[in-house]
Amino acid sequence: MLIFSVFKTLTDQTVIVELKNDLLITGVLKSVDQFLNIRLDNIQVSDEARHPHMIAVKNCFIRGSVVRYVQIPADAVDTQLLEDATRREALNQTKR
Amino acid sequence: MDSLIPFTTSGSLVDCVDRKMLVVLRDGRKLFGVLRSYDQFANLVLEDTVERIYHQDVFAEQWVGLFLIRGENVVLLGEIDLDREDEVPLKQVEWDVLLPYHKLDTDMKKRREEFKAQVLHEQKGFSKEGGEGDGY
């Protein structure tokens, strides 16, 4: 659930999503859900010539299971905080 | 996983209902149709669907009708900007004309993927089967 929370803090940021079929989509992150399905607005596909079907698409929904990477702005994540939160969650899980 | 979790992102698909959408499937197919229904797994119902194939700057389409798509096969669901669609610099040709070219493209891609998998297996110690299983 931690990564889900991270993504929730990233809404309205511009991110680059790389899919497992090597399609790279840049867009504004509008929402995520618990499956890490992603909703992107105002998208731009790199190498549009190779993916001509994407030219007329402005917003899209990407299924979490097909995402390989999400590139996020480095200053949008406090890694120290994330580290602490990870330890805390791990601790909570062992207690249970 | 709990299947009764409230929708969030898939829930936000509600404003896409009754609109013309593009669905890309894991096998590489591109379907254009009107989204009529969906659920939290991204299972989709598409009405008046056409399948499109592309080769360089031409495309062709074929009417395929009503689809219920199981969510696991969905890669991407895109909302078509109808204004931008009119300006797409592609030429439409007959399906039967383009099909052989499209087949050539997909065959080539398949061969390339197989070759890549073979190299990864033999030289890089990857597992033989599967990999990501998403060579769409």
Side-chain angles (χ1 to χ4, degrees):
Chain A
M1 273 322 211
L2 195 62
I3 301 299
F4 172 41
S5 311
V6 173
F7 273 112
K8 275 198 289 191
T9 66
L10 290 171
T11 45
D12 292 322
Q13 300 267 6
T14 301
V15 297
I16 305 173
V17 179
E18 180 177 331
L19 306 188
K20 290 184 198 167
N21 63 352
D22 297 330
L23 180 60
L24 265 140
I25 308 172
T26 310
V28 180
L29 187 68
K30 272 301 156 195
S31 69
V32 281
D33 65 12
Q34 66 277 16
F35 303 118
L36 304 187
N37 294 331
I38 292 174
R39 188 78 195 262
L40 288 183
D41 269 15
N42 221 337
I43 62 159
Q44 191 72 50
V45 173
S46 59
D47 199 3
E48 226 161 39
R50 258 189 63 211
H51 306 281
H53 56 285
M54 296 300 289
I55 297 175
V57 178
K58 53 177 178 181
N59 308 325
C60 71
F61 165 88
I62 302 164
R63 201 167 193 272
S65 61
V66 302
V67 173
R68 185 182 286 142
Y69 305 119
V70 182
Q71 297 179 36
I72 55 184
D75 50 351
V77 185
D78 186 338
T79 42
Q80 191 63 55
L81 199 74
L82 190 57
E83 216 179 292
D84 295 344
T86 309
R87 295 222 168 82
R88 228 175 301 126
E89 190 165 274
L91 206 67
N92 279 341
Q93 251 154 31
T94 47
K95 264 187 208 158
R96 238 183 273 152
Chain B
M1 196 179 258
D2 192 353
S3 59
L4 295 169
I5 15 181
F7 308 171
T8 51
T9 294
S10 17
S12 70
L13 291 178
V14 71
D15 46 288
C16 300
V17 171
D18 296 336
R19 291 199 188 190
K20 187 175 177 185
M21 306 295 287
L22 153 72
V23 178
V24 180
L25 299 183
R26 257 180 6 175
D27 64 359
R29 272 192 273 184
K30 284 104 192 167
L31 304 172
F32 289 75
V34 181
L35 183 70
R36 292 301 186 194
S37 186
Y38 66 89
D39 65 11
Q40 73 268 41
F41 305 113
N43 295 321
L44 308 170
V45 176
L46 274 190
E47 198 181 19
D48 277 324
T49 317
V50 292
E51 179 182 351
R52 276 198 193 172
I53 53 176
Y54 295 84
H55 176 77
Q56 290 165 5
D57 58 350
V58 288
F59 73 95
E61 59 182 41
Q62 183 186 45
W63 194 81
V64 282
L66 184 68
F67 266 78
L68 195 158
I69 302 163
R70 188 175 158 89
E72 64 179 318
N73 302 302
V74 174
V75 171
L76 177 147
L77 179 71
E79 188 182 342
I80 307 284
D81 187 335
L82 293 172
D83 299 326
R84 223 188 291 176
E85 195 187 22
D86 297 332
E87 294 158 15
V88 171
L90 300 175
K91 206 177 79 180
Q92 185 170 1
V93 295
E94 286 296 316
W95 178 270
D96 296 332
V97 176
L98 200 60
L99 196 58
Y101 293 96
H102 176 69
K103 223 171 134 20
L104 225 62
D105 283 351
T106 47
D107 286 350
M108 186 132 84
K109 198 172 169 189
K110 200 174 147 210
R111 272 207 302 278
R112 217 166 32 224
E113 290 299 323
E114 280 168 3
F115 181 72
K116 199 162 87 181
Q118 199 188 346
V119 171
L120 285 176
H121 173 59
E122 286 170 2
Q123 298 172 23
K124 303 289 178 188
F126 276 56
S127 73
K128 186 161 191 175
E129 264 179 71
E132 286 179 308
D134 280 300
Y136 44 83

